[in-house]
Amino acid sequence: MPSPFPGMDPYLEEVALWPAFHHQLVMCLYQILLPLLVDRYRARIAQRRYVGEPTASGEASPERHADYIELRQRSDGKPVTVLEVVSPADKTTAPGRAAYLDKRREWLEANAHVVEIDLVLEGQPTLDYSREGLPDWDYAVTVARAPQPGRLEIYTSTLQKRLPRLRLPLSADDRDSVMDLQTAFTRCYDQGEFAARIDYARDPAAPLPEDDRRWLDELLKQQGRRPAGPTHEEIARVAYRLWEEEGRPHGRDREYWHAAVAQLREQKSGRP
């Protein structure tokens, strides 16, 4: 069963799902990339490793790793292009961010192109650049070409749109290859059997604006992935009753509305 979303699936950001998704996406990108390369290049999947933050009890965190793809010249082994998929840890933890940026700096100093795929909503972006004059986006692919690493090419997408195609730079005397990120994601979602691992009846853990949450709710209901919720009239009636039962307090309209939604959903799910 395909993903219900036209592009990235925000449910995949969850801690329990992301490692498998990250690994599977890199594998699919690798599968798509290989036929695009001429014999002069050698591609392989490598791993970035680092030690995570200590646990709440002060215990040392186990070593973590993240897959990425590197292209090298077959003749001399020199790096040509690196393709990275940003992890939530790269945007939300100090060790993850430091390890990611150190590796990125290492590749740029080796005169390699660096392609960054960021499909994570939470946390702070790993790259700092102005969005002035650019449309709003949720997800981005940035390409830093070796001659001018500070001049980024940016491909963007939103939750409600398909993921972009991107130009993958190679050696200066070779034309760019074109990769379709949506094709890689679709293959990844299918091969990883993520449809059977996600509970679309609940909200995703990823932070979403209210407009996107409403759109997500309607989309999942239309596709039968989420049961139809209570109507506006039903919610209003229950919220009014709850408000009256507690003495009609002022300034708590939103609280009673959400309480009414929760109560009606429990009733419709058959929970006591």
Side-chain angles (χ1 to χ4, degrees):
M1 183 179 293
S3 168
F5 296 94
M8 175 59 180
D9 188 323
Y11 286 84
L12 293 167
E13 274 192 51
E14 295 185 12
V15 174
L17 293 175
W18 181 269
F21 168 69
H22 187 134
H23 173 74
Q24 191 69 46
L25 179 61
V26 171
M27 287 291 296
C28 290
L29 288 166
Y30 179 77
Q31 293 167 3
I32 290 172
L33 175 63
L34 284 182
L36 303 178
L37 299 177
V38 294
D39 291 341
R40 65 185 294 189
Y41 300 108
R42 174 171 54 86
R44 77 180 186 105
I45 296 177
Q47 287 188 335
R48 201 165 25 86
R49 297 178 179 274
Y50 65 95
V51 177
E53 294 180 324
T55 64
S57 61
E59 298 178 358
S61 174
E63 184 181 68
R64 301 179 183 276
H65 66 269
D67 296 336
Y68 65 91
I69 300 172
E70 61 178 40
L71 304 183
R72 293 180 178 270
Q73 294 280 6
R74 190 175 292 275
S75 59
D76 56 16
K78 288 185 178 179
V80 177
T81 306
V82 176
L83 197 156
E84 281 269 18
V85 176
V86 178
S87 294
D90 300 334
K91 299 177 68 173
T92 61
T93 71
R97 187 181 188 85
Y100 176 84
L101 293 178
D102 285 348
K103 197 65 178 179
R104 186 176 190 276
R105 190 178 305 110
E106 178 184 322
W107 288 117
L108 291 175
E109 290 174 352
N111 205 36
H113 311 297
V114 177
V115 178
E116 173 189 289
I117 298 175
D118 184 354
L119 302 180
V120 177
L121 293 173
E122 66 175 328
Q124 295 299 314
T126 56
L127 300 180
D128 183 19
Y129 51 84
S130 173
R131 294 195 174 199
E132 184 176 353
L134 297 173
D136 291 336
W137 71 79
D138 299 311
Y139 308 109
V141 178
T142 57
V143 178
R145 294 180 181 263
Q148 297 177 303
R151 185 177 180 181
L152 301 176
E153 297 170 18
I154 306 172
Y155 304 85
T156 65
S157 178
T158 67
L159 179 65
Q160 301 184 29
K161 295 182 179 179
R162 77 183 309 277
L163 295 172
R165 295 181 177 87
L166 61 130
R167 299 180 68 88
L168 186 77
L170 301 171
S171 294
D173 54 348
D174 265 339
R175 294 167 57 179
D176 295 349
S177 288
V178 178
M179 296 186 67
D180 190 331
L181 184 54
Q182 185 62 51
T183 297
F185 172 84
T186 300
R187 183 183 297 184
C188 163
Y189 186 91
D190 180 57
Q191 292 182 357
E193 299 182 336
F194 290 105
R197 303 166 66 178
I198 296 174
D199 178 10
Y200 288 110
R202 56 177 178 76
D203 289 336
L208 295 178
E210 188 59 32
D211 287 349
D212 278 343
R213 284 195 178 277
R214 286 197 295 268
W215 172 83
L216 176 147
D217 181 61
E218 186 60 30
L219 177 73
L220 295 176
K221 288 175 181 175
Q222 289 175 358
Q223 298 191 25
R225 307 285 187 106
R226 175 177 288 188
T231 66
H232 185 279
E233 291 74 15
E234 289 175 324
I235 299 171
R237 184 167 58 250
V238 173
Y240 184 80
R241 176 175 56 77
L242 294 174
W243 174 67
E244 281 198 318
E245 289 175 352
E246 294 199 8
R248 301 185 177 186
H250 294 289
R252 296 172 60 186
D253 296 8
R254 184 179 294 273
E255 176 185 339
Y256 288 116
W257 185 271
H258 288 304
V261 171
Q263 186 178 110
L264 287 165
R265 282 181 174 172
E266 287 182 359
Q267 292 173 357
K268 293 198 174 191
S269 67
R271 293 196 296 264

